[in-house]
Amino acid sequence: MLILGLLLLAAVGAFTGLVIADNLSGGPEYTVSVLGQDIATMNTLAVFCSGLALALIFCAGLSTVASTAAHRRRRERPRTHATHPGGPGR
């Protein structure tokens, strides 16, 4: 799961960087291109919504990495159980 989360983070970051670098010109209609290939023509609302979708995918990857790291930390610590005086074991 850690590798999947890191892969999501890297893919979203690379895609966002390429889209921003290749599309610095603006207008009422944006032709989105990555590595010289035109992907779509979008208006301002579509660009905003696609940014929201990329942010959600990035957060999903970040959440996956964080939960995997927390799970590993929990698994490494040995559990100790406190005994209560007068409990069932006495």
Side-chain angles (χ1 to χ4, degrees):
M1 288 302 276
L2 178 67
I3 293 175
L4 179 64
L6 290 174
L7 184 64
L8 274 175
L9 291 175
V12 169
F15 182 76
T16 303
L18 285 172
V19 167
I20 290 172
D22 287 346
N23 298 290
L24 291 177
S25 63
E29 295 286 326
Y30 299 93
T31 301
V32 180
S33 64
V34 174
L35 301 174
Q37 300 294 321
D38 292 341
I39 295 175
T41 302
M42 302 175 144
N43 61 13
T44 307
L45 180 61
V47 171
F48 178 74
C49 290
S50 64
L52 287 176
L54 281 172
L56 285 174
I57 293 170
F58 183 82
C59 288
L62 194 61
S63 173
T64 303
V65 170
S67 68
T68 303
H71 180 68
R72 283 187 178 180
R73 265 186 267 128
R74 266 186 269 134
R75 204 171 14 149
E76 289 174 2
R77 276 189 276 170
R79 289 188 176 181
T80 58
H81 298 287
T83 58
H84 298 287
R90 297 200 171 214

